[in-house]
Amino acid sequence: MPELPEVETVARSLAPLVEGQTVMRVRILDRARLELPTRRLARRHLIRVFRLGKEVLLELAKTSSRRSCWLGVHLRMTGRLLWRPDRDAAELPHVRAIFELDRGQLVFQDTRRFGTLTLYDALDMAQPAGLDPTTGAFTVEALRAQLARGSGAQLLKPWLLRQDRLVGIGNIYAAEIPHHAGLGPHRTVGSLHRAEIGRLHLAIREVLTAAIDACGTTFSDFQSGRGVEGSYQQHLRVYGREGEPCPRCGATIEKLTQQQRSTFYCPGCQR
DNA sequence: CTCGGAGCCTGTCTGC
DNA sequence: TGCAGACAGGCTCCGA
């Protein structure tokens, strides 16, 4: 589910709801998979909510000192982070952790239990290895430099999923981006010409920006911090559209498997 | 270093 | 209808 646009949506929607509140108590309901020093987090102020890579980060500060720590929430496949005005979260299904605030509670739900909670003592520790494509550092030159690392034999779509190169792209946008760029799934990163790298850069920017503007893509799981669904699924051109006509050239969209993941593409206009 | 495959979990959908 | 198997948006670990 959550790729960069969805995580950004969660962070943006939660920020006005929970920033400035105090964490009264933290309850971990899935101790088999999640561990946190919950007592350390109690009575801390929730200063800021933001996205870093694919994690939602909560900056927590103690009243007595100015030192902050950061709680990283990684939603993985089915995680949700929701603010609820009432204290009724225990009745919801798949609740893994509850952060009781002075007003309402922040609820971490996760059906498949892949999600993680990580406590960072310094923000540096949460910094992902890859380049964030929404930042000013993501230039064509920077993309070219990232693509030049390694042998160049890797296929474009699996490369787009590498979080140690670019952060935030998952299987949906890794299908959409090459379609926007007109690049086929069998292309290796080493085969990309200068002009194609330029198109790829533009496609990454445009697809992620448009998806953030649409509050992400919702199929079944994803909701924002208020429980609102995204609408980018209406803009998807190839993902999940096997057998349908390509909106650009009319050819029939195909599906194949790369590294055990579905890849959707248009054989007509992706070369 | 790179790459491919298995594994972590649960729910839903498909085909027999 | 019932049930086994495939599949799902992420990521890490392991071995070659």
Side-chain angles (χ1 to χ4, degrees):
Chain A
M1 159 188 60
E3 307 180 33
L4 186 151
E6 291 74 37
V7 181
E8 181 72 35
T9 298
V10 170
R12 286 186 186 181
S13 63
L14 283 177
L17 297 171
V18 304
E19 281 180 357
Q21 292 212 54
T22 303
V23 177
M24 311 302 285
R25 189 161 80 105
V26 180
R27 293 161 61 194
I28 303 293
L29 308 183
D30 182 14
R31 292 190 177 277
R33 300 279 302 172
L34 300 175
E35 48 181 302
L36 265 191
T38 53
R39 295 198 149 195
R40 254 190 75 189
L41 301 178
R43 309 300 305 177
R44 279 184 183 253
H45 287 301
L46 220 171
I47 309 261
R48 201 157 76 93
V49 181
F50 58 104
R51 174 191 65 80
L52 198 59
K54 280 188 190 171
E55 275 191 326
V56 178
L57 287 193
L58 311 177
E59 182 178 357
L60 300 163
K62 267 205 158 142
T63 327
S64 51
S65 72
R66 292 163 69 190
R67 270 184 75 135
S68 289
C69 63
W70 289 263
L71 178 67
V73 181
H74 202 308
L75 303 173
R76 287 295 215 279
M77 300 279 262
T78 55
R80 286 182 187 178
L81 195 59
L82 297 165
W83 179 77
R84 317 235 336 154
D86 304 313
R87 297 187 175 273
D88 57 355
E91 296 161 23
L92 301 174
H94 312 303
V95 172
R96 307 301 176 191
I98 299 172
F99 301 84
E100 293 180 359
L101 309 176
D102 35 357
R103 279 177 287 117
Q105 47 189 197
L106 199 52
V107 183
F108 177 50
Q109 277 179 296
D110 187 12
T111 307
R112 283 173 73 182
R113 302 166 73 196
F114 286 163
T116 56
L117 301 177
T118 310
L119 190 60
Y120 301 103
D121 285 316
L123 195 51
D124 286 352
M125 297 167 69
Q127 196 70 46
L131 190 60
D132 188 314
T134 66
T135 63
F138 180 64
T139 60
V140 178
E141 271 314 311
L143 174 62
R144 191 200 319 279
Q146 290 292 60
L147 288 165
R149 296 170 65 185
S151 68
Q154 193 157 33
L155 296 172
L156 175 59
K157 190 236 177 182
W159 188 88
L160 288 170
L161 295 172
R162 290 188 62 156
Q163 303 300 301
D164 59 343
R165 297 295 190 262
L166 301 180
V167 277
I169 298 171
N171 208 40
I172 295 178
Y173 301 115
E176 293 298 305
I177 287 165
H179 181 270
H180 278 247
L183 298 169
H186 300 296
R187 294 293 299 273
T188 61
V189 295
S191 75
L192 298 177
H193 310 301
R194 180 168 278 266
E196 291 173 330
I197 293 173
R199 268 157 46 203
L200 179 62
H201 177 264
L202 189 65
I204 291 170
R205 264 274 155 80
E206 287 185 344
V207 168
L208 294 180
T209 302
I212 290 171
D213 288 346
C215 296
T217 301
T218 296
F219 285 116
S220 53
D221 294 306
F222 173 66
Q223 295 185 336
S224 73
R226 279 189 177 114
V228 174
E229 300 192 340
S231 63
Y232 193 74
Q233 63 275 15
Q234 296 164 18
H235 303 279
L236 297 177
R237 296 184 185 175
V238 289
Y239 185 85
R241 298 195 181 278
E242 181 188 14
E244 296 179 29
C246 168
R248 182 164 55 202
C249 75
T252 302
I253 291 163
E254 295 182 6
K255 175 183 177 180
L256 54 79
T257 299
Q258 291 180 320
Q259 294 193 341
Q260 305 152 279
R261 312 286 304 270
S262 312
T263 294
F264 298 89
Y265 72 104
C266 171
C269 60
Q270 286 182 251
R271 303 284 168 179

